[in-house]
C-alpha cells in the first residue's frame, strides 16, 4: 500500500536549501555541489525510521533486492539499520540479499523491463516476501513495469522502499510503500548522496 504523503518528508527548495558554508564538503565535491537539500544526518535518521517501519510491518523473512547501481548506498544503510532492530516479539528479521540491475525499454510493440537476474533465479521468489530498495523514483514507469514482471513469479508479497521520490509532472503517480523524502523536480547528484543530497 503506498505510503501516505503525510508520513514522508516533503523537501522544497524554499524551506530546505542549506548553504555549503554550513557543512564540511569533501574537496573533490566542492566544484560539483551548489547547495545541500538534505543533510547527511537527516538522511540517516530517516533511513533508521524507515527501517523501524519495515521491521514493524514484516510478516516473516525478507528477500531484500537492491536496484543497481544507484540504490546501493541506501540499500547498505537500510540493511545495517534493519539488522539492529527487533520485532515487538524481540525477534530479528531474517534477511537474504539480491542485487538486480534493471533497464526499462519501450518500443512500438511493447514496453517493460529487463533484469540482470535470470528467470530461474526469479522463480526462487515464489512464496517469499520481497522488499525492493531503490534510491529514487522519478516517473515511476520503470518501477511499475518491474513490479508487473516480479508478480509473475508469485511472491508472497512485494513492498518497495525508495529514499527519494521526485515531484515531477511526468510521474505516473506511483508511490512506494516506504518513502524517505519527496524532492523537487531538479537534478540531484546521486553519487554524493552518502554525504548529502
Amino acid at each position: 500500500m503506498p505510503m501516505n504523503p503525510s508520513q514522508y518528508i516533503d523537501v522544497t527548495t524554499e524551506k530546505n536549501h542549506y548553504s555549503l558554508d554550513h557543512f564540511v564538503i569533501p574537496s573533490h565535491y566542492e566544484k560539483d555541489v551548489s547547495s545541500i537539500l538534505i543533510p547527511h544526518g537527516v538522511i540517516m535518521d530517516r533511513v533508521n525510521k524507515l527501517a523501524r517501519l519495515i521491521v514493524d510491518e514484516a510478516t516473516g523473512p525478507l528477500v531484500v533486492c537492491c536496484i543497481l547501481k544507484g540504490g546501493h548506498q541506501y540499500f547498505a544503510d537500510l540493511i545495517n539499520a534493519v539488522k539492529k532492530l527487533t520485532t515487538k516479539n524481540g525477534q530479528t528479521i531474517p534477511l537474504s540479499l539480491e542485487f538486480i540491475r534493471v533497464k526499462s525499454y519501450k518500443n512500438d510493440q511493447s514496453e517493460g523491463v529487463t533484469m540482470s537476474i535470470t528467470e530461474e533465479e526469479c522463480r526462487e521468489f515464489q512464496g517469499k516476501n520481497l522488499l525492493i530498495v531503490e534510491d529514487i523514483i522519478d516517473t515511476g514507469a520503470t518501477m511499475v513495469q518491474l513490479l508487473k514482471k516480479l508478480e509473475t513469479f508469485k511472491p508472497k508479497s512485494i513492498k518497495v522502499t525508495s529514499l527519494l521520490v521526485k515531484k515531477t509532472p511526468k510521474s505516473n503517480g506511483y508511490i512506494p510503500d516506504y518513502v524517505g523524502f519527496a524532492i523537487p523536480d531538479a537534478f540531484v547528484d546521486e553519487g554524493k548522496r552518502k554525504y548529502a543530497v
Side-chain angles (χ1 to χ4, degrees):
M1 178 164 161
M3 184 176 250
N4 184 311
S6 67
Q7 293 179 291
Y8 50 83
I9 298 170
D10 187 19
V11 176
T12 66
T13 53
E14 294 80 35
K15 71 178 183 183
N16 305 91
H17 190 70
Y18 300 94
S19 167
L20 296 180
D21 294 338
H22 301 298
F23 300 93
V24 175
I25 306 296
S27 59
H28 56 282
Y29 290 146
E30 285 177 348
K31 293 178 185 173
D32 299 322
V33 178
S34 60
S35 66
I36 303 294
L37 274 177
I38 311 168
H40 176 72
V42 175
I43 292 171
M44 295 309 297
D45 193 63
R46 186 65 183 154
V47 169
N48 288 325
K49 175 63 174 180
L50 293 175
R52 177 80 268 163
L53 292 172
I54 289 164
V55 168
D56 286 349
E57 295 178 10
T59 59
L62 292 175
V63 177
V64 188
C65 303
C66 176
I67 303 301
L68 297 172
K69 294 182 181 179
H72 76 281
Q73 186 66 50
Y74 173 47
F75 175 83
D77 293 337
L78 184 68
I79 292 299
N80 286 334
V82 167
K83 285 179 178 180
K84 294 175 186 172
L85 299 172
T86 60
T87 64
K88 292 174 182 152
N89 300 339
Q91 303 292 315
T92 58
I93 302 295
L95 304 174
S96 59
L97 311 179
E98 288 288 342
F99 298 86
I100 305 172
R101 183 166 290 161
V102 177
K103 291 188 179 188
S104 58
Y105 66 87
K106 185 174 183 178
N107 58 39
D108 57 350
Q109 297 169 346
S110 66
E111 67 179 280
V113 294
T114 59
M115 298 186 297
S116 62
I117 61 174
T118 66
E119 296 263 333
E120 187 174 315
E121 290 170 312
C122 287
R123 282 191 210 102
E124 294 176 18
F125 294 156
Q126 184 172 349
K128 296 185 178 172
N129 297 306
L130 303 183
L131 176 64
I132 309 302
V133 180
E134 177 66 284
D135 63 336
I136 186 168
I137 301 290
D138 196 339
T139 66
T142 300
M143 185 56 68
V144 167
Q145 291 298 320
L146 174 63
L147 294 174
K148 278 185 195 175
K149 186 163 190 158
L150 289 172
E151 285 169 1
T152 66
F153 298 102
K154 298 181 175 52
K156 182 178 179 183
S157 68
I158 305 175
K159 293 201 174 191
V160 177
T161 180
S162 183
L163 181 62
L164 306 172
V165 172
K166 194 176 275 194
K167 298 179 284 189
T168 174
K170 298 174 191 168
S171 172
N172 63 7
Y174 173 78
I175 300 293
D177 303 277
Y178 307 102
V179 176
F181 305 89
I183 61 168
D185 187 14
F187 178 74
V188 175
D189 192 332
E190 298 170 37
K192 292 155 189 72
R193 184 159 308 123
K194 73 178 190 177
Y195 296 102
V197 174

